[in-house]
Amino acid sequence: MPRHRAEQAEPRFSGAFSALGGLAYGGAQVSASVIDLDSDERVVSIDDRIVLPTASVGKILLLIEVSARMSDQRAPALEVLDKTSRDAVGDSGLWRHLQARTLPVADLATLVGATSDNLATNVLLREVGLDAVRERTEGLGLLRTALLDLVRDARGPDDAPQLSVGSTSELAWLFAALARGQVVDALTSSRVLGWLSLNTDLSMVASAFGVDPLSHRGVDHGLQLVNKTGSDAGVRSEAGILRGPRRGVAYAVSVQFNDGSIAARLRVLDALRTVGLDLLEYVH
């Protein structure tokens, strides 16, 4: 009689461990954390308490502060803000390419969520203040995660060396708390998730999920994604929520590496996609 095969084991991220381990063996610093939203089990923990640069991921802390102010009427959604020459900055975003010189607070937050808009980020930071964002961050109990500065085209010796830093343990917890409506309150959390659900950057972990980068607010093949990414020279970071037919997860992955060649960058992106494939298998 043939032997019965044992039931297939639950997927446990062997591909992710191998891919991130390969990057670490090659000299990169890697960190990852995944929380099961149903059981609250931390199903992946790879150096998740170390602090690494997270580039634009830290903008989520600004969005939380803006959303909290909208909830208590300190920042009305339709309050109009101007862009000025001192806010000007390049790279990601759309507002610097638009003719409109003023936009409502809610629209600026939407631009940050959708395109990580640097100009909109600086205008919102000028309005609410970096100190308020830091106070809110500390009030949430985040000790290793922070938005350090406004966005700059070049960082001098007197500037913070990074836009933001964070631990993947805290970032995964933060997205889990947003999913449960526990960041400030349910309305504040929901509003932040709404802005982030427009994110068009699916180049990293989320590249494995097969959803439309320009339209994925709804459920697609049983999947629903909300994420925030960060890219800088030698930095790739992503945190988010992925829900599937079987379960949901909050995840965060950060890599700091020598970005000296396109091959090195592609190895990092391939590893992040592998993490995404394991997440997909876990929720689907």
Side-chain angles (χ1 to χ4, degrees), residues 105-201:
V105 168
D107 288 358
L108 296 182
T110 298
L111 286 174
V112 175
T115 68
S116 200
D117 197 294
N118 285 337
L119 176 56
T121 296
N122 281 355
V123 171
L124 287 172
L125 269 175
R126 172 163 52 83
E127 177 69 11
V128 306
L130 191 59
D131 287 343
V133 176
R134 289 171 178 161
E135 184 177 348
R136 179 75 61 183
T137 302
E138 293 169 1
L140 292 171
L142 301 175
L143 303 178
R144 296 177 173 86
T145 300
L147 182 64
L148 300 176
D149 199 4
L150 49 77
V151 185
R152 301 179 187 275
D153 286 323
R155 297 199 167 273
D158 296 328
D159 301 323
Q162 303 286 343
L163 175 62
S164 76
V165 295
S167 76
T168 56
S169 174
E170 290 188 344
L171 287 168
W173 173 87
L174 181 60
F175 269 87
L178 284 168
R180 295 168 181 147
Q182 297 170 342
V183 175
V184 183
D185 55 38
L187 177 59
T188 298
S189 298
S190 176
R191 190 183 290 115
V192 172
L193 291 176
W195 291 329
L196 294 176
S197 71
L198 297 167
N199 183 28
T200 56
D201 182 9

Coordinates of all heavy atoms in Angstrom, one line a residue, residues 105-201:
V105 N -6.1 70.9 2.2 CA -5.3 69.9 3.1 C -5.6 68.5 2.7 O -4.7 67.7 2.5 CB -5.7 70.1 4.6 CG1 -5.1 69.0 5.4 CG2 -5.1 71.5 5.0
A106 N -6.9 68.1 2.5 CA -7.3 66.8 2.2 C -6.7 66.3 0.8 O -6.2 65.2 0.6 CB -8.8 66.6 2.1
D107 N -6.6 67.3 -0.1 CA -6.0 66.9 -1.4 C -4.5 66.7 -1.3 O -3.9 65.9 -2.0 CB -6.3 68.0 -2.5 CG -7.8 68.0 -2.9 OD1 -8.6 67.2 -2.4 OD2 -8.2 68.9 -3.7
L108 N -3.9 67.5 -0.5 CA -2.4 67.4 -0.3 C -2.1 66.0 0.3 O -1.2 65.3 -0.1 CB -1.9 68.5 0.6 CG -2.0 69.9 0.0 CD1 -1.4 70.9 1.0 CD2 -1.3 70.0 -1.4
A109 N -2.9 65.6 1.3 CA -2.7 64.3 1.9 C -3.0 63.2 0.9 O -2.3 62.1 0.9 CB -3.6 64.1 3.1
T110 N -3.9 63.4 0.0 CA -4.2 62.4 -1.0 C -3.0 62.3 -2.0 O -2.6 61.2 -2.4 CB -5.4 62.8 -1.8 OG1 -6.6 62.8 -1.0 CG2 -5.7 61.9 -3.0
L111 N -2.4 63.4 -2.3 CA -1.2 63.4 -3.2 C 0.0 62.6 -2.5 O 0.7 61.9 -3.1 CB -0.8 64.8 -3.5 CG -1.6 65.5 -4.6 CD1 -1.1 67.0 -4.7 CD2 -1.6 64.8 -5.9
V112 N 0.1 62.8 -1.2 CA 1.2 62.1 -0.4 C 0.9 60.6 -0.4 O 1.8 59.8 -0.7 CB 1.3 62.6 1.0 CG1 2.3 61.8 1.8 CG2 1.7 64.1 1.0
G113 N -0.4 60.2 -0.2 CA -0.7 58.8 -0.2 C -0.6 58.2 -1.6 O -0.1 57.0 -1.7
A114 N -0.9 58.9 -2.6 CA -1.0 58.3 -4.0 C 0.4 58.3 -4.6 O 0.8 57.3 -5.3 CB -1.9 59.1 -4.8
T115 N 1.2 59.4 -4.5 CA 2.4 59.5 -5.2 C 3.6 59.9 -4.4 O 4.7 60.2 -4.9 CB 2.3 60.5 -6.4 OG1 2.2 61.8 -5.8 CG2 1.1 60.2 -7.3
S116 N 3.4 59.8 -3.0 CA 4.5 60.2 -2.1 C 5.0 61.6 -2.4 O 6.2 61.9 -2.4 CB 5.6 59.2 -2.1 OG 6.4 59.3 -0.9
D117 N 4.1 62.5 -2.7 CA 4.4 63.8 -3.2 C 5.2 64.6 -2.2 O 4.8 64.9 -1.1 CB 3.1 64.6 -3.5 CG 3.2 65.8 -4.4 OD1 3.9 66.7 -4.0 OD2 2.7 65.8 -5.5
N118 N 6.5 64.9 -2.7 CA 7.4 65.6 -1.8 C 7.0 67.1 -1.5 O 7.2 67.6 -0.4 CB 8.8 65.6 -2.5 CG 9.5 64.2 -2.3 OD1 9.1 63.4 -1.5 ND2 10.4 64.0 -3.2
L119 N 6.5 67.8 -2.5 CA 6.1 69.2 -2.3 C 4.9 69.2 -1.4 O 4.9 70.0 -0.5 CB 5.8 69.8 -3.7 CG 5.2 71.2 -3.6 CD1 6.2 72.2 -2.9 CD2 5.0 71.7 -5.1
A120 N 4.0 68.4 -1.6 CA 2.8 68.3 -0.7 C 3.2 68.0 0.7 O 2.7 68.5 1.7 CB 1.8 67.3 -1.2
T121 N 4.2 67.1 0.8 CA 4.7 66.7 2.2 C 5.3 67.9 2.9 O 5.0 68.2 4.0 CB 5.8 65.6 2.0 OG1 5.2 64.5 1.5 CG2 6.5 65.4 3.4
N122 N 6.1 68.7 2.2 CA 6.7 69.9 2.8 C 5.7 70.9 3.2 O 5.8 71.6 4.2 CB 7.8 70.5 1.8 CG 9.1 69.7 1.9 OD1 9.2 68.7 2.7 ND2 10.0 70.0 1.0
V123 N 4.7 71.1 2.3 CA 3.7 72.1 2.7 C 2.9 71.7 3.9 O 2.6 72.5 4.8 CB 2.8 72.4 1.4 CG1 1.6 73.2 1.8 CG2 3.5 73.0 0.3
L124 N 2.5 70.4 4.0 CA 1.8 69.9 5.1 C 2.7 70.0 6.4 O 2.2 70.3 7.5 CB 1.4 68.5 4.9 CG 0.2 68.3 4.0 CD1 0.0 66.8 3.7 CD2 -1.1 68.9 4.5
L125 N 4.0 69.7 6.2 CA 4.9 69.8 7.4 C 5.0 71.2 7.9 O 5.1 71.5 9.1 CB 6.3 69.2 7.0 CG 6.5 67.8 7.3 CD1 7.9 67.3 6.8 CD2 6.4 67.5 8.8
R126 N 5.0 72.2 6.9 CA 5.1 73.6 7.3 C 3.9 74.0 8.1 O 3.9 74.8 9.0 CB 5.3 74.4 6.1 CG 5.2 75.9 6.3 CD 5.7 76.8 5.2 NE 5.2 76.4 3.9 CZ 4.0 76.9 3.4 NH1 3.2 77.7 4.2 NH2 3.6 76.5 2.2
E127 N 2.7 73.4 7.7 CA 1.5 73.7 8.4 C 1.4 73.1 9.8 O 1.0 73.8 10.7 CB 0.3 73.2 7.5 CG -1.1 73.5 8.1 CD -1.5 74.9 8.2 OE1 -0.8 75.8 7.6 OE2 -2.5 75.2 8.9
V128 N 1.7 71.8 9.9 CA 1.5 71.2 11.2 C 2.7 71.2 12.1 O 2.6 71.1 13.3 CB 1.0 69.7 11.0 CG1 -0.2 69.7 10.1 CG2 2.1 68.8 10.5
G129 N 3.9 71.3 11.5 CA 5.1 71.3 12.3 C 5.7 69.9 12.6 O 5.0 69.0 12.9
L130 N 7.0 69.8 12.4 CA 7.7 68.5 12.6 C 7.6 68.1 14.1 O 7.5 66.9 14.4 CB 9.1 68.6 12.2 CG 9.9 67.3 12.1 CD1 9.3 66.3 11.1 CD2 11.4 67.6 11.6
D131 N 7.6 69.1 15.0 CA 7.5 68.8 16.4 C 6.2 68.1 16.7 O 6.2 67.1 17.6 CB 7.7 70.0 17.3 CG 9.1 70.6 17.3 OD1 10.0 69.8 16.9 OD2 9.3 71.7 17.7
A132 N 5.1 68.5 16.1 CA 3.8 67.9 16.4 C 3.8 66.4 15.9 O 3.2 65.6 16.5 CB 2.7 68.7 15.7
V133 N 4.4 66.2 14.7 CA 4.5 64.8 14.2 C 5.3 64.0 15.1 O 5.0 62.8 15.4 CB 5.2 64.8 12.8 CG1 5.3 63.4 12.3 CG2 4.3 65.7 11.8
R134 N 6.4 64.5 15.6 CA 7.3 63.7 16.6 C 6.5 63.4 17.9 O 6.5 62.3 18.4 CB 8.5 64.5 16.9 CG 9.5 64.6 15.8 CD 10.6 65.5 16.1 NE 11.7 65.6 15.1 CZ 12.5 66.5 14.9 NH1 12.5 67.6 15.7 NH2 13.4 66.5 13.9
E135 N 5.7 64.4 18.4 CA 4.9 64.2 19.6 C 3.9 63.1 19.4 O 3.7 62.3 20.2 CB 4.3 65.5 20.0 CG 3.6 65.4 21.3 CD 3.0 66.8 21.8 OE1 3.4 67.8 21.2 OE2 2.2 66.8 22.7
R136 N 3.2 63.2 18.2 CA 2.2 62.2 17.9 C 2.9 60.8 17.8 O 2.3 59.8 18.3 CB 1.5 62.5 16.6 CG 0.5 61.5 16.1 CD -0.8 61.7 16.9 NE -1.4 63.0 16.7 CZ -2.5 63.4 17.4 NH1 -3.1 62.5 18.2 NH2 -3.0 64.6 17.2
T137 N 4.0 60.7 17.2 CA 4.7 59.4 17.0 C 5.1 58.8 18.4 O 4.8 57.6 18.6 CB 6.0 59.6 16.2 OG1 5.7 60.2 14.9 CG2 6.7 58.3 16.0
E138 N 5.6 59.7 19.2 CA 6.0 59.2 20.6 C 4.7 58.8 21.3 O 4.7 57.8 22.1 CB 6.7 60.2 21.3 CG 8.1 60.5 20.7 CD 8.8 61.8 21.3 OE1 8.2 62.4 22.2 OE2 9.9 62.1 20.8
G139 N 3.6 59.5 21.1 CA 2.4 59.2 21.8 C 1.8 57.9 21.4 O 1.1 57.2 22.2
L140 N 2.1 57.4 20.2 CA 1.7 56.1 19.7 C 2.6 55.0 20.3 O 2.3 53.8 20.0 CB 1.7 56.1 18.2 CG 0.7 57.0 17.5 CD1 1.0 57.0 16.0 CD2 -0.7 56.5 17.7
G141 N 3.6 55.4 21.0 CA 4.5 54.4 21.6 C 5.6 53.9 20.7 O 6.3 52.9 20.9
L142 N 5.8 54.7 19.6 CA 6.9 54.3 18.6 C 8.2 54.9 19.1 O 8.4 56.1 19.1 CB 6.5 54.8 17.2 CG 5.2 54.2 16.7 CD1 4.9 54.9 15.3 CD2 5.3 52.7 16.5
L143 N 9.2 54.1 19.4 CA 10.5 54.5 19.9 C 11.6 54.5 18.9 O 12.6 55.1 19.1 CB 10.8 53.7 21.2 CG 9.8 53.7 22.3 CD1 10.3 52.8 23.4 CD2 9.5 55.1 22.8
R144 N 11.4 53.6 17.9 CA 12.5 53.4 16.9 C 12.1 53.9 15.5 O 12.8 53.6 14.6 CB 12.8 51.9 16.9 CG 13.4 51.4 18.1 CD 13.7 49.9 18.0 NE 14.4 49.3 19.2 CZ 13.8 48.9 20.3 NH1 12.5 49.0 20.4 NH2 14.5 48.5 21.3
T145 N 11.0 54.6 15.4 CA 10.4 55.0 14.1 C 10.1 56.5 14.2 O 9.5 57.0 15.2 CB 9.1 54.2 13.8 OG1 9.4 52.8 13.8 CG2 8.5 54.7 12.5
A146 N 10.6 57.3 13.2 CA 10.4 58.7 13.2 C 10.6 59.3 11.9 O 11.3 58.8 11.0 CB 11.5 59.3 14.2
L147 N 9.8 60.4 11.7 CA 10.1 61.3 10.5 C 11.0 62.4 11.0 O 10.7 63.1 11.9 CB 8.7 61.9 10.1 CG 8.8 62.9 8.9 CD1 9.3 62.1 7.6 CD2 7.4 63.5 8.6
L148 N 12.2 62.4 10.5 CA 13.3 63.2 11.0 C 13.4 64.7 10.4 O 13.9 65.6 11.1 CB 14.6 62.6 10.8 CG 14.8 61.2 11.4 CD1 16.1 60.6 11.0 CD2 14.6 61.2 12.9
D149 N 12.8 64.9 9.3 CA 13.1 66.1 8.6 C 12.1 66.3 7.5 O 11.3 65.4 7.2 CB 14.5 66.1 8.0 CG 15.1 67.5 7.7 OD1 14.4 68.5 7.9 OD2 16.2 67.5 7.1
L150 N 12.1 67.5 6.9 CA 11.3 67.7 5.7 C 12.1 67.1 4.5 O 13.2 66.6 4.7 CB 11.0 69.2 5.4 CG 12.2 70.2 5.6 CD1 13.1 70.2 4.3 CD2 11.6 71.6 5.8
V151 N 11.5 67.1 3.3 CA 12.2 66.5 2.2 C 13.1 67.6 1.6 O 12.8 68.7 1.4 CB 11.2 66.1 1.1 CG1 11.9 65.4 -0.1 CG2 10.1 65.2 1.7
R152 N 14.4 67.1 1.3 CA 15.4 68.0 0.7 C 16.0 67.4 -0.5 O 16.2 66.2 -0.6 CB 16.5 68.3 1.8 CG 16.0 68.9 3.1 CD 17.2 69.1 4.0 NE 16.7 69.5 5.4 CZ 16.5 70.8 5.7 NH1 16.7 71.7 4.8 NH2 16.1 71.1 6.9
D153 N 16.4 68.3 -1.5 CA 17.0 67.8 -2.7 C 18.5 67.3 -2.3 O 19.0 66.4 -2.9 CB 17.1 68.9 -3.7 CG 15.8 69.1 -4.4 OD1 15.0 68.1 -4.6 OD2 15.4 70.3 -4.7
A154 N 19.1 68.0 -1.3 CA 20.4 67.6 -0.9 C 20.5 67.8 0.6 O 19.9 68.7 1.2 CB 21.5 68.5 -1.6
R155 N 21.2 66.9 1.3 CA 21.3 67.0 2.7 C 22.7 67.4 3.1 O 23.7 66.8 2.8 CB 21.0 65.6 3.4 CG 19.6 65.2 3.1 CD 19.1 64.1 4.0 NE 17.6 64.0 3.8 CZ 16.8 64.7 4.5 NH1 17.2 65.6 5.4 NH2 15.5 64.6 4.2
G156 N 22.8 68.5 3.9 CA 24.0 69.1 4.3 C 24.4 68.6 5.7 O 23.7 67.8 6.3
P157 N 25.6 69.0 6.1 CA 26.1 68.5 7.4 C 25.2 68.9 8.6 O 25.2 68.2 9.7 CB 27.5 69.1 7.6 CG 27.4 70.3 6.6 CD 26.5 69.9 5.5
D158 N 24.4 69.9 8.5 CA 23.5 70.3 9.6 C 22.1 69.7 9.5 O 21.3 70.0 10.4 CB 23.4 71.8 9.6 CG 24.7 72.5 9.9 OD1 25.5 71.9 10.7 OD2 25.0 73.6 9.4
D159 N 21.8 68.9 8.4 CA 20.5 68.3 8.2 C 20.5 66.9 8.8 O 21.6 66.3 8.9 CB 20.2 68.3 6.7 CG 20.1 69.7 6.1 OD1 19.7 70.6 6.8 OD2 20.6 69.8 5.0
A160 N 19.3 66.4 9.1 CA 19.2 65.0 9.4 C 19.7 64.2 8.3 O 19.4 64.5 7.1 CB 17.7 64.7 9.7
P161 N 20.4 63.1 8.5 CA 21.0 62.3 7.4 C 20.0 61.5 6.6 O 20.3 61.1 5.5 CB 22.0 61.3 8.2 CG 21.4 61.3 9.6 CD 20.9 62.6 9.9
Q162 N 18.8 61.3 7.2 CA 17.8 60.6 6.5 C 16.4 61.3 6.7 O 16.2 62.0 7.7 CB 17.6 59.2 7.1 CG 18.9 58.3 7.0 CD 19.2 57.9 5.6 OE1 18.4 57.9 4.7 NE2 20.5 57.4 5.4
L163 N 15.5 61.1 5.7 CA 14.2 61.6 5.9 C 13.4 61.0 7.0 O 12.8 61.6 7.8 CB 13.4 61.4 4.6 CG 11.9 61.9 4.6 CD1 11.7 63.3 4.9 CD2 11.2 61.5 3.3
S164 N 13.6 59.6 7.1 CA 12.9 58.9 8.2 C 13.7 57.6 8.5 O 14.5 57.1 7.7 CB 11.5 58.6 7.8 OG 11.4 57.5 6.9
V165 N 13.4 57.1 9.7 CA 14.0 55.8 10.1 C 12.9 55.0 10.8 O 11.9 55.6 11.2 CB 15.2 56.0 11.1 CG1 16.4 56.7 10.4 CG2 14.8 56.7 12.3
G166 N 13.1 53.7 10.9 CA 12.1 52.9 11.6 C 12.6 51.5 11.8 O 13.5 51.0 11.1
S167 N 11.9 50.8 12.7 CA 12.1 49.4 12.8 C 10.9 48.7 12.2 O 9.8 49.2 12.3 CB 12.2 49.0 14.3 OG 10.9 49.0 14.9
T168 N 11.1 47.6 11.5 CA 10.0 46.9 10.9 C 9.0 46.3 11.9 O 7.8 46.2 11.6 CB 10.5 45.8 10.0 OG1 11.3 44.8 10.7 CG2 11.3 46.3 8.8
S169 N 9.5 46.0 13.1 CA 8.6 45.6 14.2 C 7.6 46.7 14.4 O 6.3 46.4 14.5 CB 9.4 45.3 15.4 OG 8.5 45.0 16.5
E170 N 8.0 47.9 14.6 CA 7.1 49.0 14.9 C 6.2 49.3 13.7 O 5.0 49.6 13.8 CB 7.8 50.2 15.3 CG 8.4 50.1 16.7 CD 9.0 51.3 17.3 OE1 9.2 52.3 16.5 OE2 9.3 51.4 18.5
L171 N 6.8 49.3 12.5 CA 6.0 49.6 11.3 C 4.9 48.6 11.0 O 3.8 49.0 10.7 CB 6.9 49.8 10.1 CG 7.8 51.0 10.1 CD1 8.9 50.9 9.0 CD2 6.9 52.3 9.9
A172 N 5.2 47.3 11.2 CA 4.2 46.3 11.0 C 3.1 46.5 12.1 O 1.9 46.4 11.8 CB 4.8 44.9 11.1
W173 N 3.5 46.8 13.3 CA 2.5 47.0 14.4 C 1.6 48.2 14.0 O 0.4 48.2 14.3 CB 3.2 47.3 15.7 CG 2.3 47.7 16.8 CD1 1.5 46.9 17.6 CD2 1.9 49.1 17.1 NE1 0.7 47.7 18.4 CE2 0.9 49.0 18.1 CE3 2.2 50.3 16.6 CZ2 0.3 50.2 18.6 CZ3 1.6 51.5 17.1 CH2 0.7 51.4 18.1
L174 N 2.2 49.3 13.5 CA 1.5 50.5 13.2 C 0.4 50.2 12.1 O -0.7 50.6 12.2 CB 2.4 51.6 12.7 CG 1.8 52.9 12.3 CD1 1.1 53.5 13.5 CD2 2.9 53.8 11.7
F175 N 0.8 49.4 11.1 CA -0.2 49.1 10.1 C -1.3 48.1 10.6 O -2.5 48.3 10.2 CB 0.5 48.5 8.8 CG 0.8 49.5 7.8 CD1 2.0 50.2 7.9 CD2 0.0 49.9 6.8 CE1 2.4 51.2 7.0 CE2 0.3 50.8 5.8 CZ 1.5 51.5 5.9
A176 N -0.9 47.2 11.5 CA -1.9 46.4 12.1 C -2.9 47.3 13.0 O -4.1 47.0 12.9 CB -1.3 45.3 13.0
A177 N -2.4 48.2 13.7 CA -3.2 49.1 14.5 C -4.1 50.0 13.6 O -5.3 50.2 13.9 CB -2.3 50.0 15.3
L178 N -3.6 50.4 12.4 CA -4.5 51.2 11.5 C -5.6 50.3 11.0 O -6.7 50.7 10.9 CB -3.6 51.6 10.3 CG -2.7 52.9 10.5 CD1 -1.7 53.0 9.4 CD2 -3.5 54.1 10.7
A179 N -5.3 49.0 10.7 CA -6.3 48.1 10.2 C -7.4 47.9 11.2 O -8.5 47.6 10.8 CB -5.6 46.8 9.8
R180 N -7.0 47.9 12.5 CA -8.0 47.7 13.5 C -8.7 49.0 14.0 O -9.4 49.0 15.0 CB -7.3 47.0 14.7 CG -6.8 45.6 14.3 CD -5.9 45.0 15.4 NE -5.5 43.7 15.0 CZ -4.2 43.2 15.3 NH1 -3.4 44.0 15.9 NH2 -3.9 42.0 14.9
G181 N -8.3 50.1 13.4 CA -8.9 51.4 13.8 C -8.4 51.9 15.1 O -9.1 52.7 15.8
Q182 N -7.2 51.6 15.5 CA -6.7 51.9 16.8 C -5.6 53.0 16.8 O -5.1 53.3 17.9 CB -6.0 50.6 17.4 CG -7.0 49.5 17.6 CD -6.4 48.2 18.0 OE1 -5.2 48.0 17.8 NE2 -7.2 47.3 18.6
V183 N -5.3 53.6 15.7 CA -4.4 54.7 15.7 C -5.2 56.0 15.8 O -5.9 56.5 14.9 CB -3.6 54.8 14.3 CG1 -2.7 56.0 14.3 CG2 -2.7 53.5 14.2
V184 N -5.1 56.6 17.0 CA -5.9 57.7 17.5 C -7.3 57.3 17.7 O -7.8 57.3 18.8 CB -5.8 59.0 16.6 CG1 -6.5 60.1 17.1 CG2 -4.3 59.3 16.4
D185 N -8.1 57.1 16.6 CA -9.4 56.6 16.7 C -9.8 56.0 15.3 O -9.0 56.0 14.4 CB -10.4 57.7 17.0 CG -10.4 58.9 16.1 OD1 -10.2 58.7 14.9 OD2 -10.5 60.0 16.7
A186 N -11.0 55.4 15.2 CA -11.3 54.6 14.0 C -11.4 55.6 12.8 O -11.0 55.2 11.7 CB -12.7 53.9 14.2
L187 N -11.9 56.8 13.0 CA -12.0 57.7 11.8 C -10.7 58.1 11.3 O -10.4 58.2 10.1 CB -12.9 58.9 12.2 CG -13.0 60.0 11.2 CD1 -13.7 59.5 9.9 CD2 -13.8 61.2 11.8
T188 N -9.8 58.5 12.3 CA -8.4 58.9 11.9 C -7.7 57.8 11.1 O -7.1 58.0 10.1 CB -7.6 59.3 13.1 OG1 -8.3 60.4 13.7 CG2 -6.2 59.7 12.8
S189 N -7.8 56.5 11.7 CA -7.2 55.4 11.0 C -7.7 55.1 9.6 O -7.0 54.9 8.7 CB -7.4 54.1 11.9 OG -6.8 54.3 13.2
S190 N -9.1 55.2 9.5 CA -9.7 54.9 8.2 C -9.3 55.9 7.2 O -9.1 55.6 6.0 CB -11.2 54.9 8.4 OG -11.9 54.7 7.2
R191 N -9.2 57.2 7.6 CA -8.8 58.2 6.6 C -7.4 58.0 6.1 O -7.1 58.2 4.9 CB -9.0 59.6 7.3 CG -8.9 60.8 6.4 CD -8.9 62.1 7.1 NE -10.2 62.4 7.6 CZ -10.5 62.5 8.9 NH1 -9.6 62.3 9.8 NH2 -11.7 62.7 9.3
V192 N -6.5 57.7 7.0 CA -5.1 57.4 6.6 C -5.0 56.2 5.6 O -4.4 56.3 4.6 CB -4.2 57.1 7.8 CG1 -2.8 56.7 7.4 CG2 -4.1 58.4 8.7
L193 N -5.8 55.2 6.0 CA -5.8 54.0 5.1 C -6.4 54.4 3.7 O -5.9 53.9 2.7 CB -6.6 52.9 5.7 CG -6.0 52.2 6.9 CD1 -6.9 51.2 7.5 CD2 -4.6 51.6 6.6
G194 N -7.4 55.3 3.7 CA -7.9 55.7 2.4 C -6.9 56.4 1.6 O -6.8 56.2 0.4
W195 N -6.1 57.3 2.2 CA -5.1 58.0 1.4 C -4.1 57.0 0.9 O -3.7 57.0 -0.3 CB -4.4 59.0 2.3 CG -5.3 60.2 2.6 CD1 -6.3 60.7 1.9 CD2 -5.2 61.0 3.9 NE1 -6.8 61.8 2.6 CE2 -6.2 62.0 3.8 CE3 -4.4 60.9 5.0 CZ2 -6.4 62.9 4.8 CZ3 -4.6 61.8 6.0 CH2 -5.6 62.8 5.9
L196 N -3.6 56.1 1.7 CA -2.6 55.1 1.3 C -3.1 54.1 0.3 O -2.3 53.5 -0.4 CB -2.0 54.4 2.5 CG -1.3 55.3 3.5 CD1 -0.9 54.4 4.8 CD2 0.0 55.9 2.9
S197 N -4.4 53.9 0.3 CA -4.9 52.9 -0.7 C -4.8 53.3 -2.1 O -4.9 52.5 -3.0 CB -6.4 52.6 -0.4 OG -7.2 53.7 -0.7
L198 N -4.4 54.6 -2.3 CA -4.2 55.1 -3.7 C -2.8 55.0 -4.1 O -2.5 55.4 -5.3 CB -4.6 56.6 -3.7 CG -6.1 56.9 -3.4 CD1 -6.2 58.4 -3.1 CD2 -7.0 56.5 -4.5
N199 N -1.9 54.4 -3.3 CA -0.5 54.4 -3.6 C -0.2 53.7 -4.9 O -0.7 52.6 -5.2 CB 0.3 53.7 -2.5 CG 1.8 53.6 -2.7 OD1 2.3 54.5 -3.4 ND2 2.5 52.6 -2.2
T200 N 0.5 54.4 -5.8 CA 0.8 53.8 -7.1 C 2.1 53.1 -7.2 O 2.5 52.5 -8.3 CB 0.8 55.0 -8.2 OG1 1.8 56.0 -7.8 CG2 -0.5 55.6 -8.3
D201 N 2.9 53.1 -6.1 CA 4.2 52.4 -6.2 C 4.1 50.9 -5.7 O 4.0 50.7 -4.5 CB 5.2 53.1 -5.3 CG 6.6 52.5 -5.4 OD1 6.8 51.6 -6.2 OD2 7.5 52.8 -4.6

